[in-house]
Structure formats: structure tokens, C-alpha cells
Amino acid sequence: MVKMESTEEQDRKLVLEFCHLLEKSKQLFNGLRDLPQYGHRQWQAYFGRTFDVYTKLWKFQQQHRMVLDSKYGLKRWQIGEIASKIGQLYYHYYLRTSETNYLNEAYQFYAAIRGRAYYSRAAKEDRPDLMVKKLRYYARFIVVCLLLKKMKLVRELVTELEKQIQEYTNTYEPEDHLEWSLVLEEIKGFIKAEAAVAVLHADSNPIILSHSGSGSRLSPLTTPPCERSPHMTLSLQEILIVGSACEQAKFSELTMDMFRMLQTLEREPTESATNPLSMAHGLHGHDASPAASRIPPYGVPGSKGYQENGRHFRDNPHKYLLYKPSISQLMVFLASGVRELPLGGALLLYMSADGCFSTTKHPEDFGYELGGVATCAKRDSVDGGGLSCRGKSYKENHCLYPGDLYPFTRRPMFIVIDSDNSFVFQHIPRYFGQPLVVLMSPQDVPSAFQADVQHHGSLFTLFLHSPLTALCYICNVGDVPIHHWERCQTYVDRFITEASRLVTRCRMDEIEQGIGCIDSSYVQFFGDDFLRTLILRFVFCDVVLRLHRGFRGRHMRPRCEPQLPASELLEHPSLSHIVFQLASALDVRGHFSEGPECD
């Protein structure tokens, strides 16, 4: 009898310990929203404590499942809720660090929830709040799958989400059913917009390419070649990706342009199957749970990088994702990015936004009198609405002007502006003598593409993300068989290699002959894999649009400052020749002229 009492007492203590860990984990998780969104050091210790508690909680429920089932009444949806929180923790850590391996870890936990049907009996609990948790889980899982380009699974999840929303609506007639319907339509619209060009397998089913340069993250196979020189001194360390285009497809505060650009500025994540720290071994049992040793991986919450086998990693530059920020928010994040830059580091600002125009007839201040780009679609400005500054003496409050960026050029800065008012950023002076490059989108596109690019994402960003997809798009090629795609991709690779060689040759000519044909800023940025990729894809965009019959006039082509050399690079016959070969391979040669169009 004493022995039985002792066992009951042990069980009671186990339940109390579980309740303590559960409550502590909830407190820490809820505190994440109060952490500063900028900077690196202020939040890492807190994330470390949160990971630690969830490690203990997850391991505890694994070890004492039978006792918790019988004495606490632990339900499968409660296990699913813990796993979902861990998935969210990994996802937010990915957002904070830009390390794509954490995205894989979030996926593992979310996939485990679905695979083991932890939420399968949620509807039978007669709790609408539990159904909402299930719907939110689906929405978060879809975001992670989108970022990992698991489009087949995304479509399956959308179908399941639609069914769950219908069940939720029919059962509870909730007040938020319209909100969930809008979420579903937003997801569907995003998926449709994302598939600009379909690459077809032999059975005519669309496939997603991971390592073919089709718009995937950077990998050893897709990194542009470069002949290194001692002048290539800078590396990209901090990134701000800002999406403010009003009509563009979006999901979960990610516009299509943001979605494409963030992948362009990341490396392919390490596959779990080849990662010695993978938790995959804990995912293949009948009802095995993700191994607790995976929380946290890579030495969380160490420095900006993570540890694996004692080596320090920082594969991806740190980045902030800002959806329609206020101008004050944007300034704070820019200042934080500049402050965090190490010696030899560069900051990249990417802006996808609608233009904020000025009608000043004789501008004297190029920093503020030519207009700028809207950071958010506020309609409560002093003139009663609109993004225009026409005929007014004041400036638009929610507009980023070129002059706003002057203070930040004290450090090396690489700016990409995708807007219908992008060219106003070509006048930013180099007051502080630091490297500065500005890539500017075309300010207009042919009328045939205007409606599509407004909603489905900018053409310029598409060129920077996936050059071949962009070329197919402007030539009305809707689908390409995989074998043909791979053949065409070799032409793009040849173009990028040749363009890289020409840039290097321009630099060598300057050294040997004293001919300054390329600005030193490009040379200093060119040693960084990501910045070199952007520069060379910009060259591809410029050459293709200059040769395309549909893009007439200088306003339909991109610009850059400092200007890249024309005869030595942008109009070089070898690059035009490769574009013509690519057009012939796609059977769209008729879309292109024989030579440069006159402006």
C-alpha cells in the first residue's frame, strides 16, 4: 500500500512538473512579441531561454507520456499545440537570423503534426478556439512550405485548409468566417501569381526546380563565377527588404516581390538528411516525436552565426522584412542595420513600392523635390489622401525620398529600387566617399503587361530573381518542358559567366591602361556572391529589354548609378549574341531586334 502511494505521489509530481514547464513555456513564448524587432543582441538570450524550456517540455512529455495520458488527461491536440509552438519558434528564429536551416526545422515539426494527425479530433472537442488554432497552424505551415518551394504540398495544404474552414464555419457560424475566407483567397491568389512560368515534367505536370537557377536560392551550382582581386573587399551583411506596393499579391505580410527577393538573397538550406545534427532520425518511427536534441540546433542563441562541428557559420546576410512600414519604422531599421555592420560589411536596401510624384517644374533639391516612393498607403495625409505631392509646398509624410538615405551612405550601401518612380534615386551623392550602387527598375512596362505585373509582382524583381522566367514571361512563353528549360538555362549561365568576365576585364583595363570604364563601387561589391548575382542579373535584364521589340524608350529599361559601361559591357556583341541564341532556342526570336534600339 505504501509502495502504491509512493507511485501515486511520483505521478502527481510528474504532472505538477509538466504543468510548470507548460506554463513557463507559454509565458516565455508570449513574451517574444515584446522583444525589439531590430538589432541582434537584445533578443538572443531570451530566445535561448525559450528554446531551453521547450526542449525540456518536449522531452518530458515524450518520457512520461503514459503517466500524462492517464493522470493529466493529455490529449493529442495538446501535443500538437506544443509542436506547433516549437515550429513557430524555429520560424521566428529564421526570420531573426536569416539562416534557412531553421526553416527546415520549422518544417519538420509542422510536417510531424500533420503526419501524426495531432489535430484530427479538434472538431470533436466542441471548442471553436481549438479549431482556430488548427486553422492558424495550417496558415503557418503553408508559409513555411512556400518559402521552401514545396509547391505540391502547398496545394494539398490549401485544399485541406479550405475543407477545415468550411467545417469551422458550418459548425460554429463564427464572426470571423469572412476573415478566414479572405485568408484562403489570399493564399490562392499568391500561388497563382507565383507560377509565372510553368516548368513541365515529362508527364506534363508542373515541377519546382531547386538547383537550376530557376529562381531558387543561391547554391554552389548557381553562384556566378568571379576572378577575384584584392579590390573586392566588401561582403553583404545587412539587408532590408521592404514591400509597399498596394495592389500586389501577398500572403502573411509577404508581397510577391518580397517573397522573390528574400530567396534571391539566401543560400539553399542544408538538407536534413545530410546534416549530422538532423532530427530526421526522430521522425521516422510510427509515432516518434522530433528529437529533443534538435532544440536548439547550431548553438542557439550564440552569435549571429551558428555552430556545427565546432565551425562558425554565417551563410546568409542578416535581413529585415518590412511590409508597408511607416517612414519612422523604416528609418529605425535602417539605422539599426548600419549600426550592426562589421568592418568590411555592406548594407542592401531593397524597396518595392509605388511612386510618390512631384510636379515641381524647376527642382533644385534632387533629394526631395523629385518625389520618391511610398512606404505605406496611408490616406490620412494633410492633403486628404493620395500618394501624390502635386502642386503642394509640403512633402508627403509616408514617402521615402532620396534625401532620406543620405545619412546612411556613411557606410557601403547597395540600393535596389523597384518602382514607377525609381529614377529619382539616381542622384544620391557620395558625400562620404563610401561605395554606393543604385539599381533602378524600369518606370514603365508595355500595356500588355501592366495589369499582370501590378498584381503578380514586378518584372524587374522577377529578372533579379529568375532571369530565364522573366525572359519567358515577356515573350509570352507560359510553360517549358524540363529538358528544354535546362538547355535554355545553360544560355543564361553562359551570359552570366561572360558578363562577369567583361566586368573583370573592364577593371583590368583600368589598372593596366588607366581607362576608368567601371566605377570602383562595383568592383568592391563584386566579390560578394549575392551582390555579384544582382549586378550580373541586372546586366541580363538591361540587355534583354534593350533588344526586345516591345520595350521601346529609355523609361522601359532599368538604370543604375554609377552607370555601367555601354560598349564594354551592356552593348557588348558577345552578350547580345547569347540573348539571340536563347531567344532562338525558345522559338521567340521574332520578339527581338537585330541590334540595339535607338532611344
Side-chain angles (χ1 to χ4, degrees), residues 38-40 42 238 240 320 322 327-341 347 349 404-405 407-409 411 413:
Y38 49 85
H40 299 307
Q42 299 94 324
E238 296 287 331
L240 270 76
Y320 298 111
L322 302 178
I327 192 66
S328 58
Q329 287 174 320
L330 180 54
M331 292 295 104
V332 167
F333 280 87
L334 267 172
S336 177
V338 169
R339 185 186 61 199
E340 296 287 344
L341 277 183
L347 180 142
L349 170 63
D404 294 329
L405 300 179
F408 304 107
T409 60
R411 300 298 302 275
M413 197 168 188

Side-chain angles (χ1 to χ4, degrees), residues 171-188:
T171 304
Y172 300 107
E173 298 182 358
E175 295 181 357
D176 61 351
H177 72 279
L178 285 179
E179 295 174 25
W180 281 108
S181 296
L182 288 174
V183 168
L184 186 64
E185 290 308 308
E186 197 175 72
I187 297 171
K188 289 181 176 180

Side-chain angles (χ1 to χ4, degrees), residues 309-462:
N309 295 338
R311 290 189 295 148
H312 183 78
F313 283 72
R314 182 75 191 278
D315 278 350
N316 295 312
H318 175 261
K319 62 180 173 296
Y320 298 111
L321 304 176
L322 302 178
Y323 173 67
K324 293 187 177 180
S326 67
I327 192 66
S328 58
Q329 287 174 320
L330 180 54
M331 292 295 104
V332 167
F333 280 87
L334 267 172
S336 177
V338 169
R339 185 186 61 199
E340 296 287 344
L341 277 183
L343 188 66
L347 180 142
L348 184 148
L349 170 63
Y350 167 84
M351 288 282 304
S352 166
D354 300 317
C356 178
F357 298 94
S358 170
T359 55
T360 303
K361 293 183 179 180
H362 303 290
E364 297 179 0
D365 180 2
F366 288 172
Y368 288 94
E369 292 186 351
L370 294 176
V373 294
T375 59
C376 57
K378 298 286 186 181
R379 301 296 178 180
D380 55 353
S381 53
V382 289
D383 65 344
L387 298 174
S388 175
C389 316
R390 303 180 191 281
K392 304 293 183 180
S393 59
Y394 55 81
K395 302 295 182 288
E396 171 62 54
N397 286 334
H398 304 287
C399 176
L400 178 74
Y401 293 93
D404 294 329
L405 300 179
Y406 292 1
F408 304 107
T409 60
R410 287 178 169 85
R411 300 298 302 275
M413 197 168 188
F414 196 102
I415 302 170
V416 181
I417 304 293
D418 197 335
S419 173
D420 52 357
N421 197 31
S422 61
F423 293 172
V424 301
F425 286 83
Q426 66 187 316
H427 303 292
I428 298 177
R430 291 168 63 175
Y431 285 136
F432 306 102
Q434 292 292 319
L436 174 67
V437 164
V438 186
L439 305 184
M440 295 158 280
S441 70
Q443 291 195 156
D444 198 7
V445 294
S447 56
F449 301 113
Q450 283 178 355
D452 275 353
V453 298
Q454 188 175 19
H455 180 71
H456 293 171
S458 162
L459 181 61
F460 182 61
T461 294
L462 186 58

Side-chain angles (χ1 to χ4, degrees), residues 37-334:
Q37 295 299 309
Y38 49 85
H40 299 307
R41 300 175 186 85
Q42 299 94 324
W43 51 266
Q44 287 185 329
Y46 191 94
F47 257 91
R49 291 197 300 273
T50 308
F51 268 118
D52 185 54
V53 169
Y54 272 99
T55 299
K56 294 176 182 177
L57 177 63
W58 189 254
K59 188 175 181 179
F60 193 91
Q61 65 85 21
Q62 283 181 303
Q63 293 174 338
H64 306 291
R65 181 74 61 82
M66 290 183 63
V67 173
L68 294 173
D69 283 348
S70 60
K71 302 297 183 181
Y72 177 79
L74 184 66
K75 295 180 172 59
R76 291 187 65 77
W77 66 263
Q78 292 173 304
I79 302 171
E81 188 173 10
I82 296 171
S84 180
K85 289 285 176 59
I86 295 171
Q88 290 178 63
L89 201 56
Y90 274 122
Y91 176 69
H92 285 291
Y93 205 77
Y94 154 73
L95 292 179
R96 295 266 186 173
T97 64
S98 302
E99 296 299 347
T100 42
N101 287 291
Y102 294 110
L103 202 55
N104 268 339
E105 300 301 334
Y107 169 80
Q108 296 279 13
F109 274 89
Y110 284 146
I113 294 169
R114 180 173 180 254
R116 293 165 205 146
Y118 281 140
Y119 282 123
S120 61
R121 300 182 63 83
K124 296 179 174 59
E125 294 286 336
D126 195 28
R127 287 181 52 186
D129 62 314
L130 186 54
M131 279 296 293
V132 170
K133 289 180 179 180
K134 185 176 183 179
L135 298 181
R136 288 175 177 167
Y137 151 73
Y138 268 104
R140 294 181 181 118
F141 193 13
I142 288 170
V143 171
V144 169
C145 290
L146 280 170
L147 290 169
L148 289 172
K149 305 291 278 187
K150 297 180 183 290
M151 300 308 295
K152 181 175 182 293
L153 180 54
V154 165
R155 292 182 176 88
E156 293 175 7
L157 292 172
V158 170
T159 300
E160 292 175 20
L161 175 60
E162 186 168 20
K163 180 181 177 182
Q164 295 296 328
I165 291 174
Q166 188 64 48
E167 184 177 1
Y168 171 60
T169 302
N170 293 340
T171 304
Y172 300 107
E173 298 182 358
E175 295 181 357
D176 61 351
H177 72 279
L178 285 179
E179 295 174 25
W180 281 108
S181 296
L182 288 174
V183 168
L184 186 64
E185 290 308 308
E186 197 175 72
I187 297 171
K188 289 181 176 180
F190 192 91
I191 294 170
K192 181 180 178 181
E194 195 273 339
V197 175
V199 181
L200 305 178
H201 200 274
D203 58 6
S204 297
N205 287 322
I207 60 175
I208 300 297
L209 305 177
S210 298
H211 302 284
S212 64
S214 62
S216 61
R217 294 172 173 87
L218 209 60
S219 75
L221 294 175
T222 59
T223 302
C226 175
E227 185 178 335
R228 303 280 173 176
S229 81
H231 302 280
M232 298 175 183
T233 55
L234 297 173
S235 66
L236 181 60
Q237 292 293 316
E238 296 287 331
I239 301 171
L240 270 76
I241 295 178
V242 183
S244 298
C246 288
E247 303 299 326
Q248 196 169 113
K250 77 168 192 72
F251 178 52
S252 185
E253 297 201 338
L254 270 182
T255 66
M256 183 57 64
D257 283 349
M258 295 173 69
F259 175 72
R260 287 171 174 158
M261 187 52 62
L262 78 87
Q263 294 176 79
T264 304
L265 297 171
E266 290 179 349
R267 298 187 190 278
E268 284 286 351
T270 304
E271 292 295 332
S272 293
T274 60
N275 188 338
L277 290 178
S278 171
M279 69 176 182
H281 65 274
L283 290 173
H284 297 305
H286 173 66
D287 194 29
S289 299
S293 62
R294 296 300 300 126
I295 317 166
Y298 323 129
V300 175
S303 61
K304 297 180 188 176
Y306 55 89
Q307 298 290 328
E308 182 177 336
N309 295 338
R311 290 189 295 148
H312 183 78
F313 283 72
R314 182 75 191 278
D315 278 350
N316 295 312
H318 175 261
K319 62 180 173 296
Y320 298 111
L321 304 176
L322 302 178
Y323 173 67
K324 293 187 177 180
S326 67
I327 192 66
S328 58
Q329 287 174 320
L330 180 54
M331 292 295 104
V332 167
F333 280 87
L334 267 172

